[in-house]
Amino acid sequence: MLEKIDIDLPASPESLAKLEPGSIVYLNGVVYTAREGVYDRVLNRKENLPVPIHEVTNANFHCSPAASSNADGSYRIGAVTATASFRFSKYMGDWLDATKTRVVIGKGGMPAEDYKNILAPRGAVYLTTVGYGTGALLGQGVRKVLSVHWLEELGIAQAMWMFEVCGFGPFLVDSDLEGNSLFAEQGKLVNRNIEQAYKGLRKPALLRYGETDDRKDELI
């Protein structure tokens, strides 16, 4: 049975130390969204952060919220759909340093080398959504939109949202503080017998550009 862990944000080093690859996590507190649009403005264009993130939270969610506005100017969130985090690898080191983020959340994981060389040395972990189609479930954990920044410039998906959350999850721990990766370890188990599974099959007659017939090759 998978262990379920509740974490209050900002997450303490002690709470993150309890996480192991494969654990199920629920979050309470404040989570902010940021992806390439925000990263570019802050890290490349040198714009100031609109809020002192490190004073409020240390959890960054790579996601696109399904948001609608109320008559009083507030927002309601129907769902929060995670996006693939591997696309943001080039930003991660500088972003973690600038914001003191220690919990990165997204979809599909990041390269195992990023966990070892970028996240773990900074005391950060990676949480992934559990399967597809969980956006509406996660949306139930968003209690309030505290603020939204750069909405007009970046649009709903890329803007920085500050969510107050409770029982926000479930998320699956992919990487821990040691840089161990659940996905990487499971990939090794799958690949251990993969050649035997394809033994005797003919080589594919048609290959698209850039394709390989090495069954151990994997595209994230």
Side-chain angles (χ1 to χ4, degrees):
M1 182 176 180
L2 296 175
E3 183 181 5
K4 174 189 170 185
I5 300 174
D6 291 293
I7 291 183
D8 293 328
L9 300 172
S12 67
E14 293 76 18
S15 65
L16 296 182
K18 299 177 182 178
L19 302 183
E20 298 179 354
S23 298
I24 296 294
V25 173
Y26 289 82
L27 304 173
N28 305 296
V30 177
V31 170
Y32 75 92
T33 73
R35 40 193 291 194
E36 66 267 37
V38 172
Y39 297 155
D40 177 65
R41 294 183 81 92
V42 176
L43 299 178
N44 296 334
R45 303 186 190 185
K46 306 302 181 183
E47 296 186 25
N48 293 326
L49 282 165
V51 292
I53 291 176
H54 68 279
E55 296 179 6
V56 181
T57 184
N58 55 6
N60 178 188
F61 191 14
H62 296 150
C63 87
S64 175
S68 57
S69 57
N70 298 314
D72 62 1
S74 62
Y75 294 90
R76 58 184 179 273
I77 302 297
V80 283
T81 303
T83 191
S85 297
F86 73 90
R87 298 183 294 133
F88 313 131
S89 290
K90 66 179 181 180
Y91 299 108
M92 279 295 94
D94 290 339
W95 186 256
L96 298 184
D97 290 342
T99 62
K100 310 304 179 186
T101 292
R102 295 297 177 260
V103 179
V104 180
I105 313 164
K107 177 179 71 177
M110 300 179 71
E113 293 78 11
D114 286 359
Y115 298 148
K116 288 289 188 183
N117 300 327
I118 299 176
L119 270 69
R122 293 171 171 82
V125 301
Y126 183 86
L127 310 181
T128 182
T129 51
V130 182
Y132 289 88
T134 57
L137 175 62
L138 294 174
Q140 295 176 14
V142 178
R143 294 291 182 261
K144 183 190 302 182
V145 175
L146 299 176
S147 61
V148 58
H149 309 277
W150 294 319
L151 181 59
E152 292 186 4
E153 299 91 333
L154 298 177
I156 290 176
Q158 295 282 349
M160 175 181 283
W161 296 81
M162 306 291 292
F163 296 142
E164 180 182 301
V165 301
C166 182
F168 190 47
F171 298 106
L172 183 67
V173 178
D174 183 18
S175 79
D176 61 12
L177 290 181
E178 301 300 320
N180 300 308
S181 169
L182 175 67
F183 291 169
E185 290 305 313
Q186 292 302 308
K188 291 178 182 178
L189 294 177
V190 171
N191 288 334
R192 186 172 56 188
N193 297 317
I194 199 167
E195 293 298 338
Q196 186 64 31
Y198 285 92
K199 187 176 182 180
L201 297 180
R202 292 183 178 181
K203 184 175 181 178
L206 296 175
L207 292 178
R208 293 169 295 185
Y209 179 74
E211 227 173 68
T212 175
D213 60 357
D214 184 342
R215 305 296 180 182
K216 294 181 181 179
D217 285 346
E218 180 181 12
L219 294 178
I220 299 178

